[in-house]
């Protein structure tokens, strides 16, 4: 990821190293070695090594002190070499200017005008014209800008690589999250389907079992009536199969259906196959109900009726369904055995969870009295629904 940045660092480092090695080689190739030559070699060696104590590719990155020391040591030697015409180790100050431009920071912007002004330090001594002085200063400035451009390119490549790596990391996270969400969705759908099957098939099988028990009891004494009951049970099984198909169809397409008609149909079948007295109170005006709300109401009714017979041994039930402006209220009461401990079994627990997911609440009330009464109450908010025929 940092290959471009590292390559640029070492490239600039190599150019600066070449600059000082060239000057050192020029100083060491003099025909007569003198004290002045030794001083020049020491000066150049210090100018080469000391700034590297603060910047070295991949190790040290104190750019501010590097630029300061480079300017003081290398810049002073450059001015000295220009003024003393007899020095053999002469070179321009372009590559050091490029290096400082490459390492420039907001704290060292003051170096830019100094690089331009270096030629003015020896203008009067060499009696250079203003054009010559500005030309030398402009060259320094140009190489400083080249170094700044190289630094910008290296940082841009580094940022791009960082961004690519971050995008790849985010993509991996998104893939992981997508897989987790898919897994959770499948698990939720499996749980929902298990609850749906329990609510639908449980109610249907209770009705079938009760009717079969009655038919078996009549087989010997009243075979004709038993046969008639079995014929109706076959019809009930077909109706249950049709209901399952309708549920699957509605779950896929969420088509509109009349809740009142569905409740009436459910109650008619319940009365017919259980022989239980079930009174009904339904609203005159139908409301457009979302599929989830409609299914929740039907499942609560089925579970309440089934529990009333299976556990409460009820003989009389009353179902009441009403609408308010914002809520749907359902009440299913029965005269069965009162419940000592109001424990929510699997069926009522799933109903309670289903209703609460829709923003509603489900309560189970039971107590002894004259007569004893057990009631399931359900309230579900109707968000955005309107009576049929209204706009």
């Amino acid at each position: 990821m940092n290959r471009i940045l590292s390559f640029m660092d070492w490239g600039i480092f190599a150019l600066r190293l070449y600059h000082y090695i060239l000057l050192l080689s020029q100083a060491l190739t003099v025909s007569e070695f003198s004290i002045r030559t030794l001083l020049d070699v020491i000066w150049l060696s210090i100018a080469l090594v000391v700034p590297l104590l603060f910047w070295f590719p991949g190790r040290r990155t104190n750019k501010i002190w590097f630029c300061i020391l480079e300017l003081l040591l290398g810049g002073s030697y450059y001015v000295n070499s220009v003024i003393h015409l007899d020095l053999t180790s002469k070179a321009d100050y372009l590559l050091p200017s490029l290096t400082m431009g490459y390492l420039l920071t907001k704290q060292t912007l003051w170096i830019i005008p100094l690089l331009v002004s270096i030629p003015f330090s020896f203008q009067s001594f060499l009696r250079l014209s203003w054009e010559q002085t500005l030309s030398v200063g402009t060259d320094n400035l140009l190489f400083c800008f080249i170094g700044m451009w190289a630094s910008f390119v290296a940082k841009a490549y580094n940022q791009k690589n960082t961004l690519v790596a971050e995008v790849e990391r985010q993509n991996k996270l998104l893939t992981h999250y997508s897989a987790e969400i898919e897994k959770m969705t499948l698990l939720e759908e499996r749980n929902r389907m298990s609850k749906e099957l329990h609510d639908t098939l449980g109610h249907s099988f209770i009705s079938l079992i009760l009717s079969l028990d009655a038919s078996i009891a009549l087989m010997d004494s009243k075979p004709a009536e038993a046969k008639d009951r079995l014929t109706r049970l076959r019809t009930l099984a077909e109706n249950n199969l049709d209901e399952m198909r309708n549920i699957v169809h509605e779950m896929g397409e969420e088509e509109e259906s009349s809740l009142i008609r569905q409740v009436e149909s459910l109650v008619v079948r319940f009365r017919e196959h259980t022989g239980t007295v079930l009174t009904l109170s339904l609203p005159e005006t139908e409301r457009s109900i979302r599929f989830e709300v409609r299914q929740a109401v039907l499942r609560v009714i089925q579970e309440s009726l089934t529990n009333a017979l299976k556990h409460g041994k009820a003989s009389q039930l009353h179902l009441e369904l009403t609408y308010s402006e914002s809520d749907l209220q359902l009440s299913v009461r029965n005269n069965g055995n009162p419940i000592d401990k109001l424990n929510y079994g699997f069926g009522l627990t799933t109903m309670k969870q289903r209703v609460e997911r829709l923003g509603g609440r489900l309560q189970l009330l039971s107590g002894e009295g004259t007569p004893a009464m057990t009631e399931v109450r359900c309230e579900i908010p109707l968000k955005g629904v309107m009576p049929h025929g209204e706009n």
Side-chain angles (χ1 to χ4, degrees):
M1 188 174 90
N2 295 321
R3 287 181 180 178
I4 295 296
L5 188 61
S6 177
F7 175 79
M8 296 295 290
D9 283 354
W10 282 104
I12 297 297
F13 176 83
L15 289 175
R16 179 181 181 274
L17 185 63
Y18 165 77
H19 170 79
Y20 283 103
I21 290 177
L22 179 64
L23 293 179
L24 282 169
S25 63
Q26 291 176 352
L28 293 173
T29 55
V30 294
S31 55
E32 294 182 4
F33 196 82
S34 62
I35 297 298
R36 184 172 181 179
T37 301
L38 179 61
L39 291 175
D40 289 340
V41 170
I42 294 173
W43 193 345
L44 284 171
S45 300
I46 293 174
L48 168 64
V49 174
V50 173
L52 294 182
L53 298 176
F54 297 93
W55 176 74
F56 194 89
R59 294 183 180 274
R60 294 176 287 275
T61 57
N62 193 330
K63 299 177 182 180
I64 297 176
W65 275 105
F66 174 87
C67 291
I68 293 174
L69 292 172
E70 174 63 53
L71 192 64
L72 290 175
L73 299 174
S76 60
Y77 183 85
Y78 167 64
V79 173
N80 178 68
S81 67
V82 172
I83 293 175
H84 295 86
L85 301 177
D86 57 332
L87 279 180
T88 57
S89 55
K90 293 182 179 293
D92 49 40
Y93 202 57
L94 300 181
L95 293 180
S97 297
L98 184 144
T99 304
M100 285 187 286
Y102 180 76
L103 299 176
L104 207 63
T105 64
K106 291 181 179 180
Q107 291 76 19
T108 55
L109 288 175
W110 49 270
I111 288 177
I112 296 177
L114 287 181
L115 290 175
V116 178
S117 62
I118 284 178
F120 292 92
S121 61
F122 52 76
Q123 177 192 21
S124 58
F125 185 84
L126 298 179
R127 297 179 182 179
L128 298 175
S129 64
W130 282 100
E131 289 79 6
Q132 292 175 309
T133 305
L134 286 174
S135 176
V136 176
T138 303
D139 289 343
N140 292 342
L141 182 62
L142 176 62
F143 271 74
C144 179
F145 283 156
I146 292 174
M148 293 170 62
W149 173 82
S151 175
F152 174 79
V153 170
K155 289 177 181 177
Y157 269 101
N158 184 56
Q159 291 174 355
K160 184 201 75 170
N161 291 334
T162 302
L163 182 60
V164 169
E166 179 64 20
V167 169
E168 289 179 355
R169 189 181 71 85
Q170 292 293 336
N171 285 338
K172 289 180 181 178
L173 286 176
L174 287 174
T175 302
H176 176 71
Y177 290 154
S178 177
E180 288 296 319
I181 290 172
E182 183 178 359
K183 182 179 178 181
M184 292 173 61
T185 302
L186 290 174
L187 181 61
E188 183 177 353
E189 183 66 15
R190 186 179 68 183
N191 292 336
R192 186 174 71 86
M193 286 299 296
S194 67
K195 294 173 184 177
E196 202 71 50
L197 291 173
H198 170 272
D199 300 336
T200 304
L201 294 180
H203 172 76
S204 301
F205 279 116
I206 286 294
S207 299
L208 286 170
I209 290 169
L210 291 174
S211 296
L212 284 171
D213 288 341
S215 300
I216 292 170
L218 294 172
M219 286 291 290
D220 295 329
S221 59
K222 298 179 181 179
E225 185 177 344
K227 181 179 179 180
D228 180 63
R229 281 182 172 271
L230 289 173
T231 302
R232 281 185 287 151
L233 282 176
R234 186 183 186 283
T235 304
L236 175 62
E238 290 179 346
N239 291 336
N240 289 337
L241 179 59
D242 291 337
E243 182 181 0
M244 286 297 298
R245 288 171 176 167
N246 290 334
I247 288 172
V248 173
H249 180 71
E250 286 193 64
M251 286 170 63
E253 299 184 5
E254 298 190 7
E255 294 180 347
E256 290 294 327
S257 180
S258 169
L259 176 62
I260 292 178
R261 286 200 301 271
Q262 288 180 298
V263 172
E264 289 175 339
S265 176
L266 189 153
V267 168
V268 168
R269 294 199 303 272
F270 182 82
R271 285 172 178 161
E272 182 178 356
H273 298 287
T274 63
T276 308
V277 177
L278 173 56
T279 57
L280 191 61
S281 176
L282 297 175
E284 297 180 359
T285 306
E286 177 68 274
R287 300 286 293 269
S288 177
I289 307 295
R290 288 181 296 139
F291 172 76
E292 296 87 350
V293 176
R294 192 166 64 250
Q295 287 299 107
V297 172
L298 292 174
R299 299 299 165 253
V300 170
I301 293 174
Q302 287 181 329
E303 187 68 23
S304 301
L305 298 181
T306 300
N307 287 342
L309 290 186
K310 183 178 178 182
H311 302 296
K313 310 300 181 184
S315 60
Q316 293 182 350
L317 297 97
H318 178 73
L319 188 153
E320 183 177 359
L321 180 67
T322 58
Y323 293 120
S324 68
E325 275 195 36
S326 59
D327 296 312
L328 177 150
Q329 292 97 27
L330 171 68
S331 171
V332 182
R333 296 190 295 273
N334 70 79
N335 66 345
N337 300 326
I339 303 174
D340 295 331
K341 295 182 179 180
L342 297 179
N343 293 327
Y344 287 81
F346 178 79
L348 282 175
T349 299
T350 57
M351 289 302 97
K352 190 171 186 294
Q353 293 172 350
R354 184 197 293 265
V355 170
E356 289 176 348
R357 278 201 304 270
L358 296 171
R361 61 174 183 165
L362 185 141
Q363 291 178 295
L364 176 62
L365 308 173
S366 183
E368 296 182 355
T370 308
M373 186 65 63
T374 299
E375 181 181 9
V376 176
R377 292 180 185 175
C378 175
E379 292 183 8
I380 301 177
L382 302 176
K383 299 179 182 179
V385 301
M386 300 177 62
H388 279 303
E390 294 186 14
N391 296 321

